[in-house]
Amino acid sequence: MDAVVALCKRRGLIFPASEIYGGIANTYDYGHYGVLLKKNVVDAWWKSMIQERDDVVALDSAIIQHPRTWEASGHLAGFSDPLVQCLGKCKQRFREDHLREAQPEGELVCPVCGGDLSEPRAFNLMFATTIGPVQEAGSTVYLRPETAQGIFLDFKQVLQFARRKPPFGIAQVGKSFRNEITARNFIFRTLEFEQMEMEYFVPPDQALQWYEHWMRERFDWYVRLGIEPDHLRLRAHDADELSHYSSATSDVEYLFPFGWSELEGIANRGDYDLSQHARFSGDKLEFVDPQSGERYVPHVIEPAAGVGRSMLAFMCDSYDEDEIGGEQRTVLRLHPALAPIKVAVLPLLRKDGHPEKARAVYEELRRHMKAEYDDGGAIGRRYRRQDEIGTPFAVTIDHQTTEDDTVTLRDRDTLEQERVPIEGLAQRLLGRLAP
Ligand code: GAP
């Protein structure tokens, strides 16, 4: 884990936010390659939801919703963690459930100073703010703690606009916010994070079958994008772990360097959310079959993943160190579809026509994929720089290129170097990028 964190910082993928002021707990910024990798994770998710299926539509709902939303959803009353405070020297607060994981036996003690702890107290995870210049009754609103509620609020509109009939899904990617107090494990748990959530509305008697479908689909998605199947497992929640809205949940767990932990949750939310919003709003949130006249409140199966957490899993799983010609290298063996840069174009020399030729190859390749031009330093060092950020291909322009319009194409993983013509190079690479 330390090696991944160090790589992220060294190459500017992800680093602590507000560092010039000493940082802010559980908050990170994403730099150039981090932004590109994040975008590729999100694109791969949209592709699997929208491009490869006919039964899911997209939505982008507001982060700040009417405050009644959170009363109806149960988050105002129930979205809380049990907190304990150190009664000894340090007075810090901790999540009781996190302490219990680290101290499975006996009376809990403060992990920092060893002091006694207070009784647990419920602590709501939602960030509250106010609308308008003054804080007055009714002006309190919340930053959404999940994107899902926006989907339930818009269920009726989407049903009409998209002319859908259950089973169908509404997918959304966006920021969510939680007042997490336990700083740990890099971007695994942060105050603000992006979620990729899809609410799949089904006839009640099909809920179980779709719950199983989405567990398989989501597990396979991570495998298709390169995660070792042995590093993934599905784990059903015990009854006492279930969220207030869920009748059954299974997590896709990944074997992070700090142990098995949740990557994504697949929940059977039943008709809880639509029924609650119908009750609180007075609106009917149901499906009426125009042919048969049958009416029912659809049940909901929800695969909910975190973008940052997926990124962390992809990076941990692809991180490797090996040796080439007696020299140590660090390499991210990312799936090409996720790699921030797909191909690096490297002139062997900064003279003899190499840069001009390399520029022309680069201009052509960048029309089709994210490419990077690099002419700084020895060729070996340039390969290493690209290996570290997971670039699957490097194209080197050398003396022979100026004679016969061929280049060497280096593969990050096999280290094989083939001599290939410039003509058709983009097509050749595109064929090797898709999942
Ligand atoms: N709508 C259901 C829901 O939000 P969740 O299990 O609380 O369920 C879904 O969150 C996913 O969002 C998690 O599996 C995780 O990947 C991500 N996630 C949740 N809280 C997070 C946090 N504080 N930091 C980073 N990712 C988080």
Side-chain angles (χ1 to χ4, degrees), residues 416-435:
E416 252 172 48
Q417 302 211 14
E418 318 167 59
R419 194 93 214 163
V420 299
I422 292 173
E423 202 181 332
L425 182 57
Q427 256 49 46
R428 182 188 287 266
L429 293 180
L430 283 173
R432 290 161 71 173
L433 294 179

Side-chain angles (χ1 to χ4, degrees), residues 146 178 180 188-190 195 197 245 262-263 302 306:
E146 60 170 10
R178 294 183 192 175
E180 304 276 6
F188 180 81
R189 193 181 303 284
T190 49
Q195 287 187 306
E197 298 199 292
Y245 50 73
E262 174 186 343
L263 193 51
E302 173 199 67

Side-chain angles (χ1 to χ4, degrees), residues 2 4 25 94 103 105 143 168 197 212 277 342 363 379:
D2 288 347
V4 171
F94 306 95
Q103 304 173 33
E105 304 282 317
L143 302 185
F168 81 100
E197 298 199 292
E212 281 166 3
H277 288 302
K342 311 301 180 192
E363 293 301 337
I379 192 75

Side-chain angles (χ1 to χ4, degrees), residues 376-389:
I379 192 75
R381 287 198 39 209
R382 282 182 270 164
Y383 284 146
R384 269 349 136 256
R385 278 205 290 269
Q386 296 297 332
D387 290 339
E388 262 197 341
I389 57 164

Side-chain angles (χ1 to χ4, degrees), residues 308-361:
R309 219 175 262 191
S310 307
M311 269 181 77
L312 185 59
F314 287 124
M315 286 190 294
C316 290
D317 221 61
S318 62
Y319 182 92
D320 198 10
E321 289 171 2
D322 61 8
E323 219 183 82
I324 306 177
E327 228 191 277
Q328 191 78 11
R329 88 164 167 160
T330 299
V331 52
L332 280 187
R333 300 188 193 279
L334 288 170
H335 190 291
L338 298 181
I341 306 292
K342 311 301 180 192
V343 59
V345 180
L346 317 172
L348 188 61
L349 302 175
R350 276 182 166 162
K351 56 180 186 177
D352 297 344
H354 296 190
E356 294 75 9
K357 204 78 197 167
R359 274 273 158 202
V361 171

Side-chain angles (χ1 to χ4, degrees), residues 150-191:
I151 297 180
F152 299 127
L153 267 49
D154 289 345
F155 167 74
K156 223 167 108 175
Q157 280 93 320
V158 176
L159 203 59
Q160 285 159 8
F161 298 147
R163 291 182 294 110
R164 297 286 155 165
K165 162 180 174 95
F168 81 100
I170 305 177
Q172 158 151 254
V173 176
K175 278 233 165 146
S176 293
F177 305 82
R178 294 183 192 175
N179 199 351
E180 304 276 6
I181 61 134
T182 313
R184 55 175 201 169
N185 299 330
F186 195 35
I187 55 169
F188 180 81
R189 193 181 303 284
T190 49
L191 298 184

